[in-house]
Amino acid sequence: MAKPDDDFTFLESLDAEYDNEPDHPGWRQRVYNIIFKSDTRKGKVFDIILVLFILTNIGVLLLESIETFSVRYGSLFKILDKIYLVFFTLEVLLRIICVKWPGRYIFSFYGLIDLLSIIPSYLEYFFPSTHVLMMIRAFRLLRVFRIFKLVKFLNESKRLLFAMIRSLRKIVIFLFFVLLLTIFLGAIMYVLESAKNPQFSSIPQSIYWAIVTITTVGYGDVAPITPAGKIVSSLIMILGYAIIAVPTGILSTSMMREQWKRLPQYALLPCPKCGEKGHETDAAFCKNCGAALYPDTDKGHSSDQTGTAVNDASTL
């Protein structure tokens, strides 16, 4: 099978479903077409049934956590849990059997989620508290984007993920600075409050208060009572708003860069008549004055226009 092109999205490539099709026709090929492909009627029906099973399973888990429902319908919930376990186990086994390279599927993004979604059901027999971990099956709903061909949503998720990866170092450095800041502010509050306020009984307790305050959460379980402590805490609260904006700005800048990278250079050209910028990538006329954007040459193929586009992009 050919290498996936740009029409395939990032989350789909993580699924390792492409280029993992059985070599020879037969029952494995038929099962593969039903389970992994949604462009056939049987495949669509299977995917819809799978989504319904996941949604109802999540609903049952939510109801089980409510004591009144758990007491009243406990036996029914246990029966349903066994049905879900059998269904999802058979489904995962069929996925492993029908692909060309089982290991590639097992260690793919969706393959790991599929396996993790059934493991808590078996661990429950040894560790009952792991029952709630079956909520990981909610992540299997990511398949709904592929099932219903929501390509635009997947492309946007790809851009967001790439922007987060490229911003990771800056965000980690920023969070490390915030951590050092909270340690310093916690120590200051301990000095100011510990003598008169038993709530600031130690530096770790003061650091906890600084984290809660600087993140604008404000539980209120620890509060300063001295005038100096209240002044410092007010400054920390104001500082918290500024700190929250920093990672947002870093991520937004990275996302804008991802957006600009995907724009053709001619889309950055200003109108030759009025200088208006920010036209749509497929626009032929200026949105401000109506003049032709490319009166003398094809879109963006002139070297002069390319150079102008790069220069104008830097001034945007």
Side-chain angles (χ1 to χ4, degrees):
M1 184 179 290
K3 182 179 180 180
D5 55 22
D6 292 337
D7 292 333
F8 291 95
T9 56
F10 179 71
L11 288 180
E12 287 177 322
S13 65
L14 288 177
D15 201 359
E17 297 172 6
Y18 302 102
D19 202 23
N20 203 6
E21 190 171 345
D23 292 328
H24 306 289
W27 69 270
R28 289 178 61 201
Q29 179 69 57
R30 292 193 295 271
V31 173
Y32 180 91
N33 292 336
I34 294 175
I35 293 181
F36 284 103
K37 294 184 178 181
S38 57
D39 53 356
T40 63
R41 183 174 182 179
K42 292 181 179 179
K44 179 77 71 175
V45 170
F46 176 82
D47 287 335
I48 292 175
I49 292 174
L50 176 62
V51 170
L52 291 176
F53 260 81
I54 295 171
L55 290 174
T56 54
N57 187 198
I58 294 172
V60 169
L61 290 173
L62 294 175
L63 292 176
E64 281 183 310
S65 64
I66 303 175
E67 186 176 357
T68 54
F69 288 97
S70 179
V71 173
R72 188 171 183 179
Y73 303 105
S75 58
L76 175 62
F77 290 153
K78 290 181 179 179
I79 296 174
L80 291 175
D81 286 338
K82 287 182 172 59
I83 293 174
Y84 290 127
L85 176 59
V86 172
F87 175 83
F88 289 123
T89 301
L90 289 176
E91 182 229 348
V92 172
L93 289 176
L94 287 175
R95 288 182 183 274
I96 295 173
I97 293 172
C98 72
V99 295
K100 183 178 181 180
W101 294 295
R104 182 177 177 182
Y105 162 72
I106 291 173
F107 293 102
S108 67
F109 176 75
Y110 283 126
L112 290 173
I113 290 180
D114 292 342
L115 288 176
L116 291 175
S117 67
I118 62 174
I119 289 176
S121 298
Y122 292 100
L123 289 178
E124 181 184 3
Y125 293 100
F126 306 97
F127 309 100
S129 59
T130 61
H131 179 74
V132 296
L133 295 180
M134 286 191 290
M135 287 296 292
I136 197 174
R137 288 173 185 168
F139 286 99
R140 302 196 66 191
L141 291 175
L142 289 172
R143 291 181 184 273
V144 74
F145 293 105
R146 177 181 61 84
I147 293 170
F148 296 106
K149 306 295 184 182
L150 302 179
V151 176
K152 291 184 178 180
F153 290 93
L154 286 171
N155 287 334
E156 291 301 324
S157 67
K158 176 183 67 175
R159 294 175 186 176
L160 177 60
L161 181 59
F162 284 165
M164 292 176 65
I165 293 173
R166 290 187 172 90
S167 304
L168 183 61
R169 286 190 298 176
K170 295 179 182 178
I171 294 177
V172 169
I173 293 172
F174 171 75
L175 292 177
F176 181 71
F177 169 76
V178 172
L179 178 62
L180 296 178
L181 184 62
T182 53
I183 293 174
F184 174 72
L185 294 173
I188 290 179
M189 290 299 294
Y190 175 75
V191 172
L192 295 175
E193 292 284 327
S194 60
K196 298 182 179 180
N197 191 346
Q199 292 180 327
F200 290 84
S201 57
S202 63
I203 293 180
Q205 177 75 355
S206 302
I207 293 174
Y208 159 78
W209 172 88
I211 294 173
V212 170
T213 304
I214 207 168
T215 55
T216 70
V217 176
Y219 289 132
D221 54 340
V222 180
I225 59 174
T226 64
K230 291 180 179 180
I231 292 173
V232 173
S233 64
S234 299
L235 295 176
I236 295 175
M237 294 174 195
I238 296 173
L239 180 63
Y241 286 103
I243 288 177
I244 290 175
V246 173
T248 304
I250 293 174
L251 185 59
S252 299
T253 302
S254 182
M255 291 183 66
M256 287 299 297
R257 288 177 179 173
E258 287 292 324
Q259 186 73 14
W260 283 113
K261 286 180 181 178
R262 286 165 174 77
L263 282 178
Q265 290 182 333
Y266 63 77
L268 309 178
L269 292 172
C271 173
K273 183 175 181 180
C274 67
E276 181 72 18
K277 300 176 183 178
H279 297 93
E280 297 292 334
T281 57
D282 58 348
F285 299 94
C286 177
K287 62 182 180 181
N288 182 45
C289 66
L293 295 176
Y294 320 100
D296 300 324
T297 183
D298 293 336
K299 289 186 177 182
H301 293 293
S302 170
S303 60
D304 294 335
Q305 284 184 332
T306 301
T308 305
V310 174
N311 293 332
D312 290 332
S314 62
T315 62
L316 292 176

